[in-house]
Coordinates of all heavy atoms in Angstrom, one line a residue:
S1 N 181.1 190.7 99.0 CA 182.4 191.0 99.7 C 182.5 190.3 101.0 O 181.5 189.8 101.5 CB 182.5 192.5 99.9 OG 181.4 192.9 100.8
L2 N 183.7 190.2 101.5 CA 184.0 189.4 102.7 C 185.1 190.0 103.4 O 186.2 190.3 102.9 CB 184.3 187.9 102.2 CG 184.6 186.9 103.3 CD1 183.4 186.7 104.2 CD2 185.0 185.6 102.7
D3 N 184.8 190.3 104.7 CA 185.9 190.8 105.6 C 186.7 189.7 106.2 O 186.3 188.5 106.2 CB 185.2 191.6 106.8 CG 184.7 193.0 106.3 OD1 185.3 193.6 105.4 OD2 183.7 193.4 106.9
R4 N 187.9 190.1 106.7 CA 188.7 189.1 107.4 C 188.0 188.5 108.6 O 187.2 189.2 109.3 CB 190.0 189.8 107.9 CG 190.8 190.3 106.8 CD 192.0 191.2 107.2 NE 192.5 191.9 106.0 CZ 193.2 191.4 105.1 NH1 193.6 190.1 105.1 NH2 193.6 192.1 104.1
R5 N 188.2 187.2 108.8 CA 187.6 186.5 110.0 C 186.1 186.4 109.9 O 185.5 186.0 110.9 CB 188.1 187.0 111.3 CG 189.6 186.9 111.5 CD 190.1 187.3 112.9 NE 190.0 188.8 113.0 CZ 190.9 189.6 112.6 NH1 191.9 189.2 111.9 NH2 190.8 190.9 112.8
Q6 N 185.5 186.7 108.8 CA 184.1 186.6 108.6 C 183.7 185.3 107.9 O 184.5 184.8 107.1 CB 183.6 187.8 107.8 CG 182.2 188.3 108.1 CD 182.0 189.6 107.2 OE1 182.0 189.5 106.0 NE2 181.7 190.7 107.9
T7 N 182.5 184.8 108.1 CA 182.0 183.7 107.3 C 180.8 184.1 106.5 O 179.8 184.6 107.1 CB 181.7 182.5 108.2 OG1 182.8 182.1 109.0 CG2 181.2 181.3 107.4
L8 N 180.9 183.9 105.2 CA 179.8 184.2 104.3 C 179.2 182.9 103.8 O 180.0 182.1 103.2 CB 180.3 185.1 103.1 CG 179.3 185.4 102.0 CD1 178.2 186.3 102.5 CD2 180.0 186.0 100.8
G9 N 177.9 182.7 103.9 CA 177.2 181.6 103.3 C 176.7 181.9 101.9 O 176.1 183.0 101.8
I10 N 176.9 181.0 101.0 CA 176.2 181.2 99.7 C 175.3 180.0 99.5 O 175.7 178.8 99.5 CB 177.2 181.2 98.5 CG1 178.2 182.4 98.8 CG2 176.6 181.4 97.2 CD1 179.2 182.6 97.7
V11 N 174.0 180.2 99.4 CA 173.0 179.2 99.4 C 172.2 179.2 98.1 O 171.9 180.2 97.5 CB 171.9 179.5 100.6 CG1 171.0 178.3 100.8 CG2 172.7 179.8 101.9
G12 N 171.8 178.0 97.7 CA 171.0 177.9 96.5 C 171.0 176.4 96.1 O 171.7 175.6 96.5
E13 N 170.0 176.1 95.1 CA 169.9 174.8 94.6 C 171.1 174.5 93.7 O 171.9 175.4 93.3 CB 168.7 174.7 93.7 CG 167.4 174.8 94.5 CD 166.2 174.9 93.6 OE1 166.0 176.0 93.1 OE2 165.5 173.9 93.3
T14 N 171.3 173.2 93.3 CA 172.3 172.8 92.3 C 172.0 173.6 91.0 O 170.9 173.6 90.6 CB 172.2 171.3 92.1 OG1 172.4 170.6 93.3 CG2 173.2 170.8 91.0
G15 N 173.1 174.1 90.5 CA 172.9 174.9 89.2 C 172.7 176.4 89.4 O 172.6 177.1 88.5
A16 N 172.8 176.8 90.7 CA 172.6 178.3 91.0 C 173.8 179.1 90.6 O 173.6 180.3 90.4 CB 172.2 178.5 92.4
G17 N 175.0 178.5 90.5 CA 176.2 179.3 90.2 C 177.1 179.4 91.3 O 178.1 180.1 91.2
K18 N 176.9 178.7 92.4 CA 177.7 178.8 93.6 C 179.1 178.3 93.4 O 180.1 179.0 93.7 CB 177.1 178.0 94.8 CG 175.6 178.3 95.0 CD 175.0 177.5 96.2 CE 175.1 176.0 96.2 NZ 174.3 175.4 95.1
T19 N 179.3 177.1 92.9 CA 180.6 176.5 92.6 C 181.3 177.3 91.6 O 182.6 177.5 91.7 CB 180.5 175.1 92.3 OG1 179.9 174.4 93.4 CG2 181.9 174.4 92.0
T20 N 180.7 177.7 90.5 CA 181.3 178.5 89.5 C 181.9 179.8 90.0 O 183.0 180.2 89.7 CB 180.3 178.9 88.3 OG1 179.9 177.7 87.7 CG2 180.9 179.8 87.3
T21 N 181.2 180.5 91.0 CA 181.7 181.7 91.6 C 183.0 181.4 92.4 O 184.0 182.1 92.3 CB 180.6 182.3 92.6 OG1 179.4 182.6 91.8 CG2 181.1 183.5 93.2
A22 N 182.9 180.2 93.1 CA 184.1 179.8 93.9 C 185.3 179.5 93.0 O 186.4 180.0 93.3 CB 183.8 178.6 94.8
L23 N 185.1 178.8 91.9 CA 186.2 178.4 91.0 C 186.7 179.6 90.3 O 187.9 179.7 90.0 CB 185.7 177.4 90.0 CG 185.3 176.0 90.5 CD1 184.7 175.1 89.4 CD2 186.5 175.3 91.1
S24 N 185.9 180.7 90.1 CA 186.4 181.9 89.5 C 187.4 182.6 90.4 O 188.4 183.2 89.9 CB 185.2 182.8 89.2 OG 184.3 182.2 88.3
I25 N 187.1 182.6 91.7 CA 188.0 183.2 92.7 C 189.4 182.6 92.6 O 190.4 183.3 92.7 CB 187.5 183.1 94.1 CG1 186.1 183.9 94.2 CG2 188.5 183.6 95.1 CD1 185.4 183.5 95.5
L26 N 189.4 181.3 92.4 CA 190.7 180.5 92.3 C 191.3 180.5 90.9 O 192.3 179.9 90.6 CB 190.5 179.1 92.9 CG 190.4 179.0 94.4 CD1 189.8 177.7 94.8 CD2 191.7 179.3 95.1
R27 N 190.5 181.0 89.9 CA 190.8 180.9 88.5 C 191.0 179.4 88.1 O 192.0 179.1 87.4 CB 192.1 181.7 88.2 CG 192.0 183.2 88.4 CD 192.2 184.1 87.2 NE 193.3 183.6 86.4 CZ 194.5 184.3 86.3 NH1 194.7 185.4 87.0 NH2 195.5 183.8 85.6
L28 N 190.1 178.6 88.5 CA 190.1 177.2 88.2 C 189.0 176.7 87.3 O 188.6 175.6 87.3 CB 190.1 176.4 89.5 CG 191.4 176.4 90.3 CD1 191.2 175.6 91.6 CD2 192.6 175.8 89.5
L29 N 188.4 177.7 86.5 CA 187.3 177.3 85.6 C 187.8 176.4 84.5 O 189.0 176.5 84.1 CB 186.7 178.6 84.9 CG 185.9 179.5 85.9 CD1 185.6 180.8 85.1 CD2 184.6 178.9 86.3
P30 N 187.0 175.4 84.1 CA 187.5 174.4 83.1 C 187.8 175.2 81.8 O 187.0 176.0 81.3 CB 186.3 173.5 82.9 CG 185.1 174.2 83.5 CD 185.6 175.1 84.6
K31 N 189.0 174.9 81.2 CA 189.4 175.6 80.0 C 189.2 174.6 78.8 O 189.4 173.4 79.0 CB 190.9 176.0 80.1 CG 191.1 177.0 81.2 CD 192.6 177.4 81.3 CE 192.8 178.4 82.3 NZ 194.3 178.7 82.5
P32 N 188.8 175.1 77.6 CA 188.6 176.5 77.3 C 187.2 177.0 77.4 O 186.9 178.1 77.1 CB 189.1 176.6 75.8 CG 188.6 175.2 75.3 CD 188.8 174.2 76.5
V33 N 186.3 176.1 77.9 CA 184.8 176.5 77.9 C 184.5 177.5 78.9 O 183.6 178.4 78.6 CB 183.9 175.2 78.0 CG1 184.0 174.3 76.8 CG2 184.3 174.5 79.3
G34 N 185.1 177.5 80.1 CA 184.7 178.4 81.1 C 185.4 179.7 81.0 O 186.6 179.8 80.9
Q35 N 184.6 180.8 80.9 CA 185.2 182.1 80.6 C 184.6 183.2 81.5 O 183.4 183.3 81.6 CB 184.9 182.5 79.1 CG 185.5 181.6 78.1 CD 185.1 182.0 76.7 OE1 184.7 183.1 76.4 NE2 185.3 181.0 75.8
I36 N 185.5 184.0 82.1 CA 185.1 185.2 82.9 C 184.9 186.3 81.9 O 185.8 186.8 81.3 CB 186.1 185.5 84.0 CG1 186.1 184.4 85.0 CG2 185.7 186.9 84.6 CD1 187.2 184.6 86.1
V37 N 183.6 186.6 81.6 CA 183.3 187.6 80.6 C 183.5 189.0 81.0 O 184.0 189.9 80.2 CB 181.8 187.4 80.1 CG1 181.4 188.4 79.1 CG2 181.6 186.0 79.6
S38 N 183.2 189.3 82.3 CA 183.4 190.7 82.8 C 183.5 190.6 84.3 O 183.1 189.6 84.9 CB 182.3 191.6 82.3 OG 181.0 191.2 82.9
G39 N 183.9 191.7 84.9 CA 183.9 191.9 86.4 C 185.3 191.9 86.9 O 186.3 191.8 86.2

């Protein structure tokens, strides 16, 4: 979760899932292979 005016860092190696999480927020996952299964 993230409050207004707050900065949240997401850290990890390449392949950790950081960018996929971000693309999910914008609903920009590559179609048709990228699927939000639940949540």
Side-chain angles (χ1 to χ4, degrees):
S1 64
L2 183 59
D3 283 328
R4 295 172 197 283
R5 296 186 288 281
Q6 211 176 59
T7 300
L8 173 70
I10 301 184
V11 189
E13 292 169 281
T14 300
K18 309 183 300 296
T19 299
T20 295
T21 302
L23 292 175
S24 300
I25 296 168
L26 288 163
R27 297 239 317 254
L28 286 176
L29 290 169
K31 295 177 181 178
V33 292
Q35 300 176 17
I36 294 174
V37 177
S38 63

